[in-house]
Amino acid sequence: MSSHTFDFLLKPIFIHGFSASVHIVLLLFSLVSWLVTRDEEAGGEGSKERFRQRKVSWHKQTLACCFVVSAFNIIWGLLSYFYWYTNEWSNDKLVTLSDYAIKTLAWGATGVVLHCQFSNHSKRKRFPFLLRVLWVFYFSISCYSLVVDIIFLKKHVSFPSHYLASDVFSVITGLFLCVVAFSSRREVEDALLEEPLWNGDSSVSNVAESSEKKGGDTITPYANAGFFGLLTFSWMAPLIAVGNKKTLELEDVPQLDSSLSVIGAFPKFRKRLQAVDSEGTGVTTLKLVKALFLSAWKDILLTGLFVFMNSVAMYVGPYLIDTFVQYLNGQREFKNEGYHLVTAFFVAKLVECISETWFIFKSQQIGLRWRAVLTAMIYNKGLTLSFQSKQSKTSGEIINIMTVDADTVGNFVWYMHDPWKIALQVALALMVLYKNLGGATFAAFVTTILVMLVNIPLGKVEENFQENLMESKDKRMKATSEILRNMRILKLQGWEMKFLSKIIGLRNIEEGWLKRFVYTSSVSSIIFWISPSFVSLSTFGACIYLGIALESGKILSALATFRILEQPIFGLPGMISMIVQTKVSLDRIASFLRLDDLQPDVMEKLPIGSSDIGIEIVDGNFSWDLSSPTPTLKDLNLKVFHGMRVAVCGTVGSGKSSLLSCILGELPKISGTLRLCGTKAYVPQSPWIQSGKIEDNILFGKVMEREMYERVLEACSLNKDLEILSYGDQTVIGERGINLSGGQKQRIQIARALYQDADIYLFDDPFSAVDAHTGSHLFKEVLLGLLSSKTVIYITHQLEFLSAADLILVMKNGRITQAGKYTDILHSGSDFMELVGAHEKALSALDTVEAGSVSEKCVSEADGPGGSIIREMQKDGNESNKSGEVDDVGPKRQLVEEEEREKGKVRFSVYWKYITTAYGGALVPFILLAQILFQVFQIGSNYWMAWASPVSADAEPPIGNLTLILVYLALTIASAFSVFAISILVRIFGYITATLLFKKMHLCIFRAPMSFFDSTPSGRILSRASTDQSALDLSIADQIADVAFSVIQLLGIIAVMSQVAWPIFIIFIPVVATCIWYQQYYISAARELQRLIGVRKAPIIQDFSETISGATTIRGFDQESRFQQKNMILMDAYSRSRFHSSSAKLWLCFRLDMLACLTFAFSLFLLISIPDGVIDPGIAGLAVTYGLTLNSLQAILIWQICGMVDKIISVERILQYSSIPSEPALVIETNCPDRAWPFRGEVCIHDLQVRYAPHMPLVLRGLTCTFPGGLKTGIVGRTGSGKTTLIQTLFRIVEPAAGQIIIDGVNISSIGLHDLRLRLSIIPQDPTMFEGTVRSNLDPLEEYLDEQIWEALDKCQLGDEVRKKEGKLDSPVGENGENWSMGQRQLVCLGRVLLKKSRILVLDEATASVDTVTDNLIQTTLKDHFSDCTVITIAHRITSVLDSDMVLLLSRGVIEEYDSPASLLENKFSSFAQLVAEYTATARSN
């Protein structure tokens, strides 16, 4: 086929004829639309007004564009007519004029019709589809015409110059209309209301409203910005201006609109995921990818269009450089060719800059949505996980999935188009090279492909290392999370340094994989940094071999092409690495989403009021492990009517808590039927308290009803506790209720349940954590009072609370062995008799004291208005007033406050500490030297090729080809050595710095006092240990090195361009000054926005961590939807900071890009204005080659500086936690106690005053007493009276504000903490087990032999239980010991102290979670093995302290009574006598 067959496609008659045809269609469409609009009736005024408020924001700009295009065409047509009037007419000219005329009519008519439709037609929500298609055709024809013009310019074909101006105008207006056509942002803002978030839950709109009221009250200006505002990002100007004047707070940052908010995006994403998983086989990676793509396909296509435009525009410069060099050499093809070339260069750079900016902007929106919806999916999944699924994925792992993996998928957006973009850019590069170098292009192609293929094995190795790195990070985060939860226990036992070594060990494994990963990526980096030089070397070598003349213009065009080709070649390793990371992250997310949920059919929920039976179980068999041959609960048959009180009792491990889990629907069902009728409320055995105000914990999402609220506080005996607290019920509770006593936590969660006013109440041992008096009060006021008409099932080990039950269930080995009223089952079986016998044995201690008459009188007086308890409370108030001067600590502050963040610019000291951490900064000069040498060699090699090559084929070359290529080879090899040094040194620097800062931060955290953990939610620590540490591990060193290298590159370009024409240097001065001013103006807002991102991330992690630990409670109250809403509000607070932070960068980049484009255009105009022969055309062409990258390099530099400032905040946050005030020394070498200390165990307390923080009131107010050595002292008192605080002071968890504690003559404040804590033993209030084995839980310091461990297990009655397990001492213990019952965990704690055999033993309510039988067993064990030790017992069971030698009764932080039990009981008015009387009266009532 002849090459001239398609020449007609380049003829003006074809181009303008086709354009006229398209515009005739546009004109006809406009006329038809106008007729239809006239016949339509206007909608209602309400909807019209609503539409006007929500009208497409492009409307006015589009109308203006239509009329401007119409006006332009009529003016251009008239000018053409007068220009051609004096010349001969031709068909081309007639068709062109007809095209102008039809365009004028078509665009004018389109403008009129659109004005009519949008003014009168209230239902119009977007531009008509056909109109948008015609706009795309218009843009395509305009682009085609412009390409033809450029081809004519290149071929030096004469054509009317006004064609070029007309086509440039058409391309710009067509581009705008295409943006309008593809914009999917203007959807109906109330679409959210049409799609409820949770199966008919209409509260989503309320959530959206409340989220808007929090923080900024306005929606982001982006939602209503016009075309010019969108193009220039001027909608960001108000926020940046505010940030420049003051420190930005979250309240200053506007809300996201519905298209970006997770509240709007999540329901749509969930529907799409359900649609792609229609067969219900579970979420796979492929399905997840498909759902993510469908949720953002319009924006993905739009970003693809921007990538295409950017890639094409980038190669316009290299394509025209040869022509430009020939022009400077005096070869002009037509008049004003230089100005045409400058215009083409400038327009191409303009398109390149704008398309790149908008690609970044739209991509960050996609990434923001993906990150948010994945986080919401993971959060929701965490709320529905089954017990076994939670065992396989611990909270630390899930937090990593939610933070690291969701972030990775969100960041993948930047690399999404790279596979085809790299192919396109390589193809365009080969086209440009072929035009200049002919067959030598094949060498460039082969070398490029070889370089890219090298990356395949490297990519596989990186994928393997990445997977292992993430797994090891998961294990470390899991262990860190568990340790942070149990830090108090570790410090009490003196184990914190052992567990720190465990974290360091896990980190060492992680560092092994990290080292492999970063060094592998450095190899990739080395290959691809030097590959462009070797590609050019092979190409020029092929030219010499093939005899192709190397002219400076062609060489410079090739070098410019190779410089642009660096982007796909450099980007390939990053793309492959990112694809690898994203695939790993998607696999992990999909694997998590596939985990089993709770069985949906385990429970049959009956409509409220449909049955008089509240709970019914028929032939039920349930098991925590469905693969186990032995069910957890067997042959259950239970029927509970509405209004019944059901008590559940049994020995430790008999299945009591599992029965409640079964009723809650938590326990997997093997067979049988479970029915439940009514709403439910649940109080777990281990209190679950949220961070936040006490009031919010009690309301738990319900609206405040003051009367009901006050009744609940009174019933739960919380009023006196609230009076003591500085802020009352507005006091902020620390994480897991850290600043509350065990009894206070228990009563708050009982109050939470009461306030819900549910139909069915489930209590798991509610009285174990409170004293006897409070327990009796709760029983009377709650179970017999407020809940008298409700269905209540309560587990209790205290048999005195059984008589009021309508039904008692006795459990043993997972079966209900007895059921009935107290008197009915008393003699019907042995199991209940065993419990009663143990109870009677405990009460027999009371019989040894003749307190019968005392009891009656004390009870009657306690019930009367003048009871001694009230008098004592009044006395306490007076006493507390006496210490007022000590308690006056200035303004009140909450214990837990907002996370502290640095303000103002990042201090230079942060950068200095970072760069000097590794080898004192010795590596930094070598890195800078290597970077400078690399840039010198790169510029030198390009300069050499430009200088040593002839300008044209007929010019004489200065040197021979062999010399030319050998010098170029030497410079290339020198560049390779330089980049090798850069890559290796930067990786070593980053790796060592990350390692040292990790160890420093963790040492400071583990050595921090307990007050730090009380006031710091673990989410803040975890975010530093995960997200911030990942930034240190993988990116910060590279980012700082990239900034330094970009500065060196920029200086090199300025030097090259200024060397050619020194006036260019003059223009650089104001341009650089303007850039610096812009950057300084912007940085204040940007820095605070980035800090807000860091601060807003921690609450998400903390909320998620709390949700995972309290998922059973949340489900027990049917509150899943509220917590999901709360999570999304927190996500939006984070997203809006991130969105505006990224947009602020683009605001800056757009302005710097425009400055760079103008500078480049000025440089080109200067070059074409210089007379011929003044400058070397080859060197001038080199300046243009470098100038082509000026704008992108300048933008990249500013972006990198901003990114570095953003990332360095991670260093700032880690350094924040690397300077935490430490606890006193663990060991004081100069004052170590004797090895046998303590000798007798005598504890002398003198004027002890304690507060938890300097700004908080005193908790202990001047205690003075002595605990005799070798005797047993019981400590009793009302909940919150200071019992546990006294014990914490004994262990120096809290340091005294005044006074001292002396043990056997040694002031405990004068010795090391480990010297103290390792000599004392404690069984804590909350029994704690760590993930690991039975052996590691009993002997974490690895000090004892197996025989000693077995002996301890036998003594605490766990030996037989452990022997039944397959692994014996190596049997696994799950996270938090969840596969062991509460009572068994308490026995393990007993085993620890039996191993330790200390002279002083502290029991902090150690038997609260066990039945009376086990309690008696523990007491007997303690008598047998600690008879000669000092035993200090805090107990709520009076029987546990009756056999003590001394009893200390505390009340509101002061000693109310201290004497032997017998002496105290002799005084019938003593508070202790009243407690005993109350307990005895309740216990004997059975």
Side-chain angles (χ1 to χ4, degrees):
M1 185 180 288
S2 171
S3 60
H4 301 288
T5 305
F6 296 101
D7 282 356
F8 76 95
L9 295 174
L10 303 179
K11 303 287 186 183
I13 191 169
F14 167 78
I15 296 170
H16 288 284
F18 186 76
S19 172
S21 303
V22 171
H23 283 87
I24 287 171
V25 175
L26 177 61
L27 180 61
L28 290 173
F29 171 80
S30 300
L31 291 173
V32 171
S33 298
W34 180 69
L35 291 172
V36 171
T37 304
R38 281 188 62 195
D39 294 333
E40 286 183 347
E41 293 182 1
E45 286 300 313
S47 62
K48 192 183 299 184
E49 179 63 24
R50 186 161 145 258
F51 175 73
R52 287 198 188 107
Q53 294 172 358
R54 192 213 55 80
K55 192 182 293 180
V56 179
S57 68
W58 305 77
H59 168 61
K60 291 181 181 178
Q61 291 81 2
T62 306
L63 281 181
C65 182
C66 292
F67 290 127
V68 167
V69 172
S70 180
F72 177 89
N73 278 285
I74 194 170
I75 293 169
W76 222 244
L78 289 171
L79 289 173
S80 300
Y81 175 80
F82 290 121
Y83 180 76
W84 288 329
Y85 182 78
T86 56
N87 300 312
E88 288 185 12
W89 288 93
S90 66
N91 290 335
D92 285 353
K93 294 173 182 177
L94 288 172
V95 170
T96 302
L97 285 175
S98 300
D99 184 28
Y100 285 140
I102 293 169
K103 282 180 180 178
T104 301
L105 292 172
W107 286 106
T110 302
V112 171
V113 171
L114 287 178
H115 175 71
C116 294
Q117 285 185 339
F118 282 95
S119 296
N120 303 320
H121 190 33
S122 65
K123 294 183 180 178
R124 174 69 62 196
K125 297 174 183 176
R126 61 177 66 193
F127 297 105
F129 176 76
L130 182 57
L131 180 63
R132 288 182 281 149
V133 171
L134 291 170
W135 286 347
V136 173
F137 268 105
Y138 170 67
F139 177 64
S140 304
I141 295 167
S142 303
C143 289
Y144 181 79
S145 301
L146 185 61
V147 170
V148 171
D149 294 344
I150 293 171
I151 291 172
F152 284 164
L153 274 175
K154 181 64 184 170
K155 291 184 175 181
H156 313 299
V157 175
S158 178
F159 70 99
S161 58
H162 66 273
Y163 277 10
L164 181 62
S166 173
D167 291 336
V168 169
F169 174 83
S170 299
V171 166
I172 293 171
T173 53
L175 176 62
F176 164 72
L177 293 171
C178 278
V179 171
V180 173
F182 284 104
S183 175
S184 58
R185 204 166 43 80
R186 307 298 166 218
E187 296 179 359
V188 185
E189 289 186 0
D190 60 350
L192 184 60
L193 298 177
E194 298 167 11
E195 185 181 9
L197 190 55
W198 288 287
N199 300 328
D201 186 355
S202 61
S203 62
V204 177
S205 57
N206 297 332
V207 176
E209 289 174 11
S210 65
S211 68
E212 287 173 19
K213 289 175 184 175
K214 292 186 179 181
D217 291 327
T218 57
I219 297 293
T220 175
Y222 163 67
N224 300 305
F227 173 73
F228 183 77
L230 289 169
L231 181 67
T232 62
F233 293 90
S234 58
W235 56 270
M236 272 299 301
L239 183 62
I240 293 173
V242 172
N244 197 43
K245 293 174 184 174
K246 64 183 275 279
T247 300
L248 283 180
E249 301 294 343
L250 188 63
E251 291 75 17
D252 302 312
V253 183
Q255 296 287 340
L256 300 175
D257 73 341
S258 59
S259 65
L260 293 172
S261 166
V262 66
I263 294 173
F266 177 68
K268 298 173 186 175
F269 174 75
R270 190 183 59 184
K271 277 194 172 183
R272 287 190 173 95
L273 189 58
Q274 289 170 349
V276 297
D277 186 31
S278 54
E279 66 275 16
T281 54
V283 178
T284 62
T285 304
L286 186 61
K287 290 175 183 176
L288 190 59
V289 170
K290 190 175 177 182
L292 287 169
F293 174 79
L294 291 174
S295 69
W297 68 271
K298 292 180 183 177
D299 282 342
I300 291 172
L301 292 180
L302 191 60
T303 53
L305 174 65
F306 291 137
V307 167
F308 178 79
M309 291 168 59
N310 179 260
S311 299
V312 172
M314 284 170 64
Y315 282 94
V316 172
Y319 184 80
L320 295 177
I321 277 181
D322 187 26
T323 307
F324 191 78
V325 171
Q326 298 307 323
Y327 174 85
L328 294 178
N329 198 36
Q331 300 179 19
R332 273 91 175 195
E333 296 297 328
F334 57 91
K335 188 180 179 182
N336 297 327
E337 182 186 7
Y339 294 109
H340 283 91
L341 285 170
V342 171
T343 303
F345 274 119
F346 178 70
V347 170
K349 293 310 292 179
L350 208 58
V351 172
E352 179 189 338
C353 293
I354 292 172
S355 58
E356 183 175 16
T357 303
W358 269 82
F359 161 73
I360 293 170
F361 181 59
K362 297 304 290 183
S363 294
Q364 66 109 2
Q365 288 184 29
I366 300 169
L368 204 66
R369 282 202 299 270
W370 281 2
R371 186 181 292 106
V373 296
L374 286 175
T375 300
M377 282 294 294
I378 293 164
Y379 181 91
N380 293 358
K381 183 70 178 181
L383 269 175
T384 62
L385 283 181
S386 67
F387 175 78
Q388 278 196 302
S389 297
K390 282 185 75 173
Q391 294 294 99
S392 65
K393 293 281 184 187
T394 60
S395 56
E397 290 176 291
I398 301 172
I399 286 169
N400 246 8
I401 291 170
M402 194 182 78
T403 52
V404 178
D405 292 317
D407 273 357
T408 301
V409 175
N411 292 333
F412 174 70
V413 176
W414 308 105
Y415 302 83
M416 184 169 45
H417 297 290
D418 279 10
W420 66 266
K421 181 181 82 170
I422 288 173
L424 172 67
Q425 289 182 341
V426 169
L428 290 171
L430 293 175
M431 287 170 58
V432 174
L433 289 173
Y434 188 76
K435 165 188 168 287
N436 291 299
L437 303 177
T441 305
F442 182 73
F445 176 71
V446 170
T447 311
T448 303
I449 294 300
L450 286 174
V451 168
M452 290 181 170
L453 287 176
V454 169
N455 207 57
I456 294 174
L458 281 173
K460 289 181 178 177
V461 172
E462 275 192 58
E463 179 177 9
N464 178 45
F465 291 162
Q466 172 76 9
E467 286 179 352
N468 285 293
L469 177 62
M470 293 305 294
E471 283 178 16
S472 56
K473 186 188 288 290
D474 279 346
K475 289 177 182 175
R476 173 175 63 82
M477 288 304 299
K478 175 179 168 183
T480 305
S481 178
E482 184 177 49
I483 286 168
L484 291 176
R485 278 197 303 272
N486 299 299
M487 185 59 77
R488 186 179 302 276
I489 303 300
L490 297 183
K491 288 190 174 293
L492 285 168
Q493 302 282 7
W495 294 343
E496 68 269 37
M497 301 314 291
K498 176 67 178 179
F499 278 77
L500 173 60
S501 67
K502 177 183 176 182
I503 294 293
I504 296 298
L506 291 170
R507 173 65 181 178
N508 288 339
I509 296 170
E510 183 184 348
E511 282 173 6
W513 293 113
L514 175 64
K515 190 188 296 184
R516 294 181 182 94
F517 181 76
V518 296
Y519 287 160
T520 305
S521 64
S522 75
V523 172
S524 300
S525 179
I526 291 166
I527 291 171
F528 289 101
W529 270 99
I530 62 174
S531 57
S533 298
F534 281 106
V535 171
S536 57
L537 182 66
S538 66
T539 307
F540 296 147
C543 286
I544 293 171
Y545 179 77
L546 296 173
I548 298 170
L550 288 174
E551 302 168 14
S552 60
K554 292 179 178 178
I555 285 177
L556 289 170
S557 178
L559 288 174
T561 304
F562 291 139
R563 286 179 69 82
I564 297 174
L565 197 59
E566 287 177 0
Q567 183 177 341
I569 294 179
F570 286 176
L572 190 62
M575 179 198 75
I576 292 177
S577 174
M578 195 64 199
I579 288 174
V580 166
Q581 292 179 42
T582 306
K583 181 182 179 300
V584 171
S585 291
L586 284 168
D587 287 344
R588 283 155 53 87
I589 292 170
S591 149
F592 176 70
L593 294 177
R594 280 198 308 274
L595 290 175
D596 291 336
D597 289 336
L598 293 167
Q599 286 182 0
D601 59 343
V602 71
M603 179 197 301
E604 181 184 339
K605 290 188 177 180
L606 303 176
I608 296 174
S610 62
S611 171
D612 59 347
I613 299 175
I615 301 164
E616 184 177 17
I617 305 174
V618 181
D619 298 330
N621 288 280
F622 301 84
S623 179
W624 289 116
D625 183 2
L626 292 174
S627 61
S628 172
T630 308
T632 307
L633 298 177
K634 301 177 276 291
D635 306 324
L636 289 188
N637 284 282
L638 177 64
K639 189 178 289 187
V640 180
F641 291 92
H642 286 299
M644 283 182 67
R645 276 191 299 274
V646 180
V648 183
C649 58
T651 56
V652 169
S654 59
K656 302 183 296 299
S657 295
S658 295
L659 176 63
L660 290 194
S661 297
C662 158
I663 296 170
L664 288 167
E666 299 286 323
L667 189 53
K669 181 172 69 175
I670 299 172
S671 62
T673 305
L674 168 61
R675 297 187 186 91
L676 187 139
C677 178
T679 57
K680 59 187 186 300
Y682 171 57
V683 177
Q685 187 173 17
S686 295
W688 178 73
I689 302 293
Q690 284 183 276
S691 301
K693 296 175 184 175
I694 292 175
E695 178 186 274
D696 294 337
N697 268 276
I698 295 172
L699 296 182
F700 208 53
K702 289 197 74 175
V703 179
M704 167 65 81
E705 293 179 22
R706 181 55 63 181
E707 186 180 344
M708 174 69 173
Y709 184 74
E710 294 296 340
R711 283 207 311 271
V712 168
L713 291 182
E714 180 61 37
C716 295
S717 196
L718 280 168
N719 284 320
K720 288 191 174 65
D721 299 276
L722 298 180
E723 288 170 10
I724 296 170
L725 297 170
S726 303
Y727 288 85
D729 63 358
Q730 298 303 304
T731 299
V732 175
I733 303 172
E735 194 173 18
R736 302 182 310 280
I738 202 89
N739 47 336
L740 298 174
S741 72
Q744 287 169 331
K745 286 188 278 188
Q746 186 71 289
R747 285 180 289 127
I748 285 173
Q749 69 168 358
I750 292 172
R752 174 176 66 206
L754 289 179
Y755 194 79
Q756 295 303 303
D757 194 25
D759 301 315
I760 299 169
Y761 284 82
L762 306 173
F763 293 97
D764 193 348
D765 204 5
F767 312 117
S768 61
V770 296
D771 58 79
H773 173 74
T774 307
S776 300
H777 176 85
L778 287 173
F779 186 72
K780 289 176 183 176
E781 298 297 326
V782 176
L783 265 67
L784 304 182
L786 291 181
L787 302 183
S788 57
S789 61
K790 304 286 186 179
T791 307
V792 181
I793 298 183
Y794 62 99
I795 294 172
T796 184
H797 292 129
Q798 291 148 283
L799 301 192
E800 56 268 25
F801 298 126
L802 295 180
S803 60
D806 300 312
L807 176 67
I808 299 172
L809 304 178
V810 182
M811 298 204 67
K812 188 173 184 179
N813 298 328
R815 283 189 167 88
I816 299 175
T817 56
Q818 293 177 263
K821 280 189 166 289
Y822 187 89
T823 52
D824 297 336
I825 63 172
L826 188 57
H827 303 292
S828 63
S830 60
D831 297 326
F832 189 59
M833 280 299 296
E834 183 182 350
L835 294 172
V836 172
H839 181 60
E840 293 296 335
K841 182 180 176 183
L843 289 176
S844 64
L846 295 172
D847 297 331
T848 61
V849 183
E850 296 182 359
S853 57
V854 175
S855 300
E856 294 173 13
K857 293 180 182 178
C858 288
V859 172
S860 63
E861 291 190 19
D863 291 340
S868 64
I869 288 183
I870 297 173
R871 289 199 299 274
E872 291 296 340
M873 288 295 181
Q874 291 169 346
K875 182 179 76 173
D876 292 344
N878 295 334
E879 288 187 21
S880 65
N881 290 336
K882 291 176 186 175
S883 58
E885 66 279 359
V886 182
D887 207 8
D888 186 12
V889 291
K892 298 187 293 183
R893 283 169 51 197
Q894 295 278 15
L895 174 66
V896 181
E897 298 181 334
E898 282 292 316
E899 181 174 2
E900 179 187 352
R901 63 181 172 101
E902 301 290 338
K903 297 189 177 180
K905 66 181 182 180
V906 178
R907 297 189 308 276
F908 175 73
S909 61
V910 174
Y911 294 94
W912 184 252
K913 282 178 185 174
Y914 180 75
I915 64 176
T916 57
T917 297
Y919 304 120
L923 294 177
V924 176
F926 293 103
I927 293 171
L928 290 173
L929 178 62
Q931 289 179 332
I932 292 168
L933 288 174
F934 177 72
Q935 186 63 15
V936 167
F937 291 138
Q938 286 283 293
I939 292 175
S941 62
N942 293 338
Y943 196 94
W944 168 257
M945 294 301 290
W947 174 82
S949 304
V951 176
S952 59
D954 53 354
E956 186 69 26
I959 55 170
N961 283 336
L962 183 60
T963 306
L964 176 76
I965 208 71
L966 284 176
V967 172
Y968 189 73
L969 174 63
L971 291 169
T972 300
I973 292 171
S975 297
F977 279 110
S978 299
V979 78
F980 174 81
I982 294 168
S983 190
I984 293 299
L985 289 173
V986 168
R987 264 41 178 219
I988 292 172
F989 166 78
Y991 169 77
I992 291 174
T993 303
T995 301
L996 293 174
L997 287 177
F998 175 90
K999 289 178 179 174
K1000 185 178 180 183
M1001 179 180 76
H1002 279 71
L1003 178 62
C1004 282
I1005 289 172
F1006 276 69
R1007 290 285 293 116
M1010 201 59 220
S1011 57
F1012 168 75
F1013 299 97
D1014 290 347
S1015 58
T1016 306
S1018 62
R1020 296 180 191 174
I1021 302 172
L1022 291 173
S1023 68
R1024 285 166 170 81
S1026 59
T1027 309
D1028 292 325
Q1029 186 62 45
S1030 289
L1032 253 78
D1033 288 342
L1034 300 172
S1035 60
I1036 292 179
D1038 283 329
Q1039 284 191 302
I1040 292 177
D1042 288 345
V1043 168
F1045 185 60
S1046 293
V1047 169
I1048 292 166
Q1049 277 186 303
L1050 188 62
L1051 292 174
I1053 290 175
I1054 292 173
V1056 170
M1057 294 182 72
S1058 301
Q1059 190 253 349
V1060 174
W1062 64 266
I1064 295 175
F1065 189 75
I1066 297 174
I1067 194 69
F1068 270 119
I1069 294 173
V1071 168
V1072 169
T1074 307
C1075 289
I1076 292 171
W1077 181 86
Y1078 264 125
Q1079 199 264 349
Q1080 290 300 311
Y1081 179 75
Y1082 144 90
I1083 199 67
S1084 299
R1087 189 171 47 232
E1088 298 310 320
L1089 285 169
Q1090 187 62 28
R1091 283 177 173 143
L1092 282 173
I1093 291 172
V1095 169
R1096 300 316 304 173
K1097 183 130 192 172
I1100 297 172
I1101 297 173
Q1102 180 191 338
D1103 177 64
F1104 189 51
S1105 179
E1106 283 188 348
T1107 301
I1108 293 297
S1109 62
T1112 303
T1113 305
I1114 294 167
R1115 290 191 294 263
F1117 285 90
D1118 296 321
Q1119 292 265 4
E1120 296 97 319
S1121 63
R1122 184 173 71 84
F1123 276 80
Q1124 289 165 346
Q1125 292 169 20
K1126 180 187 174 187
N1127 170 256
M1128 289 197 285
I1129 290 171
L1130 290 172
M1131 269 303 303
D1132 275 346
Y1134 169 74
S1135 295
R1136 79 185 209 242
S1137 302
R1138 191 161 189 139
F1139 171 74
H1140 288 94
S1141 175
S1142 300
S1143 300
K1145 288 180 193 172
L1146 293 172
W1147 176 90
L1148 178 66
C1149 281
F1150 178 83
R1151 280 145 183 78
L1152 299 184
D1153 278 345
M1154 294 303 102
L1155 285 170
C1157 287
L1158 292 172
T1159 305
F1160 181 54
F1162 173 81
S1163 307
L1164 295 178
F1165 274 114
L1166 193 65
L1167 289 174
I1168 65 172
S1169 303
I1170 295 173
D1172 294 350
V1174 174
I1175 57 171
D1176 183 342
I1179 302 302
L1182 179 65
V1184 175
T1185 304
Y1186 276 101
L1188 286 171
T1189 61
L1190 177 65
N1191 71 294
S1192 60
L1193 181 60
Q1194 187 172 283
I1196 287 170
L1197 174 59
I1198 296 299
W1199 191 269
Q1200 286 173 339
I1201 289 173
C1202 298
M1204 181 185 70
V1205 171
D1206 290 349
K1207 289 291 184 184
I1208 206 70
I1209 289 170
S1210 290
V1211 178
E1212 182 182 62
R1213 284 160 55 80
I1214 284 176
L1215 289 175
Q1216 236 181 13
Y1217 278 20
S1218 299
S1219 55
I1220 305 165
S1222 178
E1223 279 187 310
L1226 298 177
V1227 176
I1228 299 174
E1229 298 293 345
T1230 57
N1231 193 26
C1232 288
D1234 191 275
R1235 290 174 63 89
W1237 180 87
F1239 316 106
R1240 302 182 308 281
E1242 183 180 75
V1243 181
C1244 297
I1245 301 171
H1246 178 68
D1247 192 27
L1248 187 65
Q1249 299 177 19
V1250 177
R1251 57 166 52 96
Y1252 278 103
H1255 60 274
M1256 298 191 74
L1258 286 172
V1259 180
L1260 297 181
R1261 306 165 181 269
L1263 270 60
T1264 300
C1265 63
T1266 299
F1267 300 156
L1271 298 183
K1272 185 175 179 182
T1273 301
I1275 303 177
V1276 295
R1278 193 175 179 277
T1279 300
S1281 59
K1283 304 184 296 293
T1284 300
T1285 303
L1286 175 57
I1287 299 307
Q1288 291 190 71
T1289 311
L1290 179 63
F1291 282 81
R1292 289 180 65 192
I1293 297 296
V1294 183
E1295 294 289 337
Q1300 58 185 3
I1301 299 177
I1302 297 172
I1303 299 178
D1304 287 349
V1306 175
N1307 185 343
I1308 63 170
S1309 297
S1310 66
I1311 61 174
L1313 291 179
H1314 276 187
D1315 281 335
L1316 170 68
R1317 292 170 184 170
L1318 291 172
R1319 311 289 179 96
L1320 308 179
S1321 289
I1322 184 170
I1323 302 180
Q1325 184 173 0
D1326 297 319
T1328 302
M1329 292 180 74
F1330 301 91
E1331 186 173 20
T1333 64
V1334 175
R1335 178 188 282 105
S1336 67
N1337 267 276
L1338 284 165
D1339 181 25
L1341 302 184
E1342 300 172 1
E1343 296 176 328
Y1344 303 102
L1345 301 172
D1346 282 6
E1347 292 76 12
Q1348 294 172 294
I1349 296 173
W1350 279 117
E1351 182 183 351
L1353 284 171
D1354 288 330
K1355 288 176 182 176
C1356 65
Q1357 305 299 310
L1358 276 177
D1360 293 338
E1361 184 71 28
V1362 174
R1363 287 186 182 91
K1364 289 179 191 173
K1365 297 181 181 292
E1366 188 177 340
K1368 303 293 190 292
L1369 291 179
D1370 293 317
S1371 299
V1373 175
E1375 188 179 18
N1376 299 323
E1378 285 183 359
N1379 54 340
W1380 292 64
S1381 76
M1382 187 74 80
Q1384 288 171 326
R1385 282 180 248 169
Q1386 196 67 280
L1387 292 175
V1388 169
C1389 294
L1390 174 63
R1392 289 175 187 154
V1393 301
L1394 288 168
L1395 269 177
K1396 202 171 179 182
K1397 297 177 182 173
S1398 301
R1399 176 64 64 180
I1400 298 176
L1401 171 63
V1402 176
L1403 307 176
D1404 188 357
E1405 299 177 6
T1407 59
S1409 304
V1410 297
D1411 57 87
T1412 312
V1413 176
T1414 312
D1415 185 9
N1416 291 342
L1417 185 150
I1418 292 174
Q1419 299 299 338
T1420 304
T1421 305
L1422 294 175
K1423 285 177 186 174
D1424 292 344
H1425 299 284
F1426 293 93
S1427 56
D1428 58 343
C1429 298
T1430 303
V1431 179
I1432 302 170
T1433 305
I1434 294 177
H1436 291 148
R1437 290 182 180 166
I1438 298 300
T1439 52
S1440 300
V1441 296
L1442 277 178
D1443 63 343
S1444 301
D1445 299 293
M1446 299 291 288
V1447 171
L1448 173 69
L1449 193 144
L1450 292 176
S1451 176
R1452 300 183 71 178
V1454 296
I1455 297 175
E1456 187 172 340
E1457 297 169 356
Y1458 183 46
D1459 209 334
S1460 67
S1463 299
L1464 290 173
L1465 287 172
E1466 285 175 5
N1467 178 6
K1468 60 183 179 180
F1469 296 109
S1470 72
S1471 297
F1472 182 69
Q1474 292 180 32
L1475 286 175
V1476 173
E1478 177 119 12
Y1479 180 82
T1480 307
T1482 307
R1484 298 241 181 250
S1485 65
N1486 290 333

